[in-house]
Amino acid sequence: MNILSLEFVVFVLATVIVYYIVPLKIRWCVLLAASGVFYGFAGWQGSLWLVLTAALSYGSSIWQHNLLLKERAAAAAEEAGAETASSAPAEADKKVCASRKIKIYRKLLLAASIILPLGAMAFSKYFDAIRALFTSSPGLAIIVPLGLSYFTFQCVGYMIDIYRGKAEPARNPLKFLLFASFFPQMTQGPIAQYTQLMPQLEEGHRFDPDNFTAGVQIALWGLFKKMIIADNLAAVNSAVSTNNRGWFILLSVIIYLIRLYCDFSGGMDVIRGAAKMLGIDMAENFRRPFFSFSVAEYWRRWHISLGNWFRNYVFYTITTSGFGIWLAKAGKKLFGKKAGRYFPATISTIVIFFLIGIWHVANLNAVLYGLYFGLTMGIELLLEPAFKKLKKKFRVNEKNVFWKAFTLVRTWILVLLAQYFAITATPKEAFGLLGATFRNWSFANGWAQFTDITYAIVWKVAGLAVVVLIIVDIICERKPDINMKLARAPFYVRWPVLIFLILAIVIFGCYGADYDATAFLYTHF
């Protein structure tokens, strides 16, 4: 079910109506039923995969929690036994062994319960790419379920939280299935944490006109970004090549990044709006990333839930492990005491962005894309003490408008360089396109470069929409709560905005020659 379709609009409105009609205690059942219907449209094979993943996570989490309680009891007995160790050393040793054995069992259980779903996900996504490196024989017809990465990461994160004792396991298997399959997050994410989302799904929300209006506003804004900006700009990326003029190639890369942002964040806003109508606040996945003053800040604002997941379950795992302690010692020997402290974080950052790169797509460009960002931020971390000394020596005022402008442009340049690998399929194409950017900057008949790709009116509409996007993002950057304020504003303030969005979507987004609802770029992840 395409979330841009009228079918999805009717489906959401029907879900909202039924949700607020039934008693509070069973409203979660409406969400579960709606999620089942929505996912059922994607095929029974994907539904089976989702149910099996949820069942594995549910069963192993309860087993894990029971072992954790036993370990804690054994640890308490160990402390008590330590006091009598002199009189009964053998008994104390048994208690110590019991505690350690349970800890080992818990680690083995966790390893098995996360390797299975992650291994299945990796097999479905990367088997054909790896097979193609060794043979030209036909690949397997592997069905990749809708939202595979999203529900897999959610379940794995949940099991790690249970292992760490940061969450209580779900006792109702159907409620846990709802957490894993909540329909708005299936196409675009976000990757929700159990402790953040599950309480909202369990409790029955009462109808709140402000929440409903805010949800409609968010969804309309998402449709505006996706259908008027992202879809109208899609043609330019398929047309760019090394034969184009340098300025057009650079502009095409910028357009690709804007399109990617509007495509992904637009889809996110649609599903966040649908959830908001039901009184559920989903985790924010974008926070105006083009206002970032460093690459690290850019990634804190871009695909926030993915970054949080890797930070919580990969970054901290590496930096706090024995390997991380060894890295810290090695870093101090190599780079000195101050810089060496950042060495584990540097290595962890490189590992994380390598994984994020191949998560996007299984090719060499994705590897280089991830390593580029990992090395950029890793080196920045490692050199942070030196940067601080230099800024102090030259008395750099970080609040100065010229310094902010410099860091903003610097960040844009660093981010744009990576997009050459995202917009192409091979490193040869990426470096070829990058080299061609610095050749042939003739602007003669420049407008023809655009009108050869699509109609002039399409460019004008998309250009005006981008201006609207920039203005709205500037307002939101200053006043993050503007959406709820607009929802509570008088009708003569609110309705002109809603009517403008609706008319813009209907006139410039849904109709016209050659209209096509371009598929979301992130759906296959």
Side-chain angles (χ1 to χ4, degrees):
M1 188 187 299
N2 193 322
I3 66 172
L4 301 180
S5 64
L6 182 62
E7 183 183 46
F8 181 74
V9 174
V10 173
F11 173 76
V12 170
L13 291 177
T15 301
V16 169
I17 291 169
V18 175
Y19 180 80
Y20 287 118
I21 287 176
V22 304
L24 282 171
K25 289 184 178 180
I26 61 170
R27 287 183 180 175
W28 68 270
C29 297
V30 176
L31 300 180
L32 179 61
S35 299
V37 170
F38 180 84
Y39 211 84
F41 276 92
W44 68 267
Q45 298 95 334
S47 301
L48 179 61
W49 192 318
L50 170 60
V51 170
L52 289 175
T53 302
L56 170 68
S57 303
Y58 172 78
S60 65
S61 68
I62 291 180
W63 190 4
Q64 183 70 247
H65 183 68
N66 291 337
L67 287 174
L68 176 61
L69 295 178
K70 290 181 179 179
E71 183 188 341
R72 287 174 176 172
E78 177 185 330
E79 290 182 7
E83 298 177 0
T84 59
S86 57
S87 58
E91 187 65 26
D93 288 341
K94 288 181 181 179
K95 292 175 180 178
V96 171
C97 290
S99 174
R100 289 176 180 174
K101 283 181 180 179
I102 295 172
K103 182 72 172 180
I104 292 170
Y105 292 154
R106 291 209 305 119
K107 287 182 177 180
L108 291 174
L109 175 61
L110 177 67
S113 58
I114 66 177
I115 286 172
L116 283 173
L118 288 176
M121 181 186 75
F123 179 81
S124 68
K125 292 184 70 169
Y126 308 122
F127 174 78
D128 274 345
I130 296 172
R131 177 201 54 78
L133 295 174
F134 302 100
T135 178
S136 58
S137 60
L140 298 176
I142 301 174
I143 296 174
V144 181
L146 177 68
L148 171 62
S149 295
Y150 302 118
F151 69 71
T152 300
F153 281 165
Q154 277 197 189
C155 288
V156 168
Y158 162 77
M159 288 186 285
I160 295 174
D161 284 342
I162 297 298
Y163 171 80
R164 293 174 176 174
K166 291 185 175 181
E168 290 290 321
R171 295 300 177 183
N172 187 324
L174 293 179
K175 286 185 177 180
F176 182 76
L177 180 61
L178 171 59
F179 165 73
S181 66
F182 185 45
F183 74 91
Q185 66 194 9
M186 283 296 104
T187 57
Q188 301 281 303
I191 303 166
Q193 282 193 300
Y194 182 79
T195 52
Q196 184 271 333
L197 182 60
M198 195 65 236
Q200 296 187 77
L201 299 177
E202 283 185 300
E203 65 173 312
H205 298 275
R206 299 183 184 278
F207 180 74
D208 184 336
D210 292 341
N211 267 341
F212 183 82
T213 304
V216 171
Q217 291 170 179
I218 295 171
L220 287 174
W221 179 236
L223 290 172
F224 179 89
K225 288 190 287 184
K226 165 62 179 170
M227 301 181 75
I228 299 180
I229 300 178
D231 286 357
N232 282 331
L233 294 177
V236 70
N237 301 133
S238 58
V240 67
S241 73
T242 54
N243 296 323
N244 295 127
R245 303 174 192 182
W247 63 267
F248 184 80
I249 294 173
L250 178 60
L251 185 59
S252 297
V253 175
I254 295 172
I255 287 173
Y256 171 79
L257 187 56
I258 294 172
R259 177 199 169 197
L260 182 62
Y261 169 67
C262 291
D263 184 281
F264 195 13
S265 68
M268 279 299 310
D269 285 345
V270 172
I271 62 95
R272 283 181 61 232
K276 186 72 173 177
M277 294 178 206
L278 296 161
I280 297 166
D281 290 313
M282 301 194 72
E284 189 178 17
N285 227 13
F286 286 89
R287 196 177 299 121
R288 300 166 294 282
F290 299 142
F291 291 92
S292 304
F293 296 102
S294 69
V295 175
E297 183 184 359
Y298 170 82
W299 276 102
R300 287 195 296 269
R301 290 169 173 257
W302 181 284
H303 210 333
I304 298 170
S305 66
L306 181 68
N308 288 342
W309 192 91
F310 274 100
R311 185 177 65 250
N312 291 334
Y313 305 117
V314 180
F315 181 87
Y316 292 135
T317 300
I318 294 175
T319 55
T320 59
S321 66
F323 178 63
I325 295 170
W326 178 84
L327 284 174
K329 292 178 180 177
K332 289 176 182 178
K333 290 180 181 179
L334 291 171
F335 306 106
K337 189 174 181 181
K338 288 185 178 180
R341 289 182 301 180
Y342 296 96
F343 193 55
T346 298
I347 299 300
S348 299
T349 300
I350 294 171
V351 170
I352 284 172
F353 277 90
F354 167 77
L355 295 174
I356 288 176
I358 61 173
W359 172 79
H360 282 81
V361 63
N363 63 28
L364 187 54
N365 269 23
V367 173
L368 295 176
Y369 177 90
L371 289 177
Y372 169 82
F373 275 118
L375 287 168
T376 300
M377 285 186 284
I379 293 170
E380 183 182 352
L381 272 171
L382 205 58
L383 298 180
E384 188 172 341
F387 288 152
K388 286 182 178 178
K389 284 183 180 180
L390 285 173
K391 283 187 282 187
K392 187 176 180 180
K393 182 178 180 179
F394 290 101
R395 298 180 181 179
V396 174
N397 180 7
E398 295 186 11
K399 295 182 180 180
N400 183 279
V401 65
F402 294 106
W403 176 258
K404 285 188 173 183
F406 164 73
T407 54
L408 189 68
V409 172
R410 177 196 63 188
T411 302
W412 261 81
I413 292 171
L414 290 172
V415 170
L416 283 173
L417 283 173
Q419 306 316 310
Y420 282 86
F421 296 96
I423 202 174
T424 54
T426 65
K428 183 179 179 181
E429 291 178 23
F431 287 114
L433 206 61
L434 181 60
T437 302
F438 300 96
R439 299 193 300 265
N440 188 11
W441 273 65
S442 170
F443 291 94
N445 299 319
W447 182 240
Q449 290 277 305
F450 297 95
T451 53
D452 286 345
I453 295 172
T454 188
Y455 303 108
I457 185 63
V458 173
W459 289 113
K460 292 175 182 178
V461 168
L464 287 172
V466 170
V467 172
V468 173
L469 170 69
I470 293 170
I471 293 171
V472 171
D473 275 6
I474 290 173
I475 294 171
C476 292
E477 187 71 7
R478 293 179 176 272
K479 297 181 179 180
D481 60 342
I482 191 68
N483 181 51
M484 189 55 76
K485 285 185 177 180
L486 181 62
R488 294 168 178 166
F491 76 94
Y492 55 81
V493 175
R494 181 175 67 253
W495 272 102
V497 175
L498 295 177
I499 291 171
F500 165 76
L501 289 173
I502 292 170
L503 290 177
I505 292 164
V506 171
I507 296 172
F508 300 112
C510 295
Y511 296 104
D514 302 325
Y515 166 72
D516 177 39
T518 307
F520 284 96
L521 296 175
Y522 268 71
T523 299
H524 65 284
F525 299 143

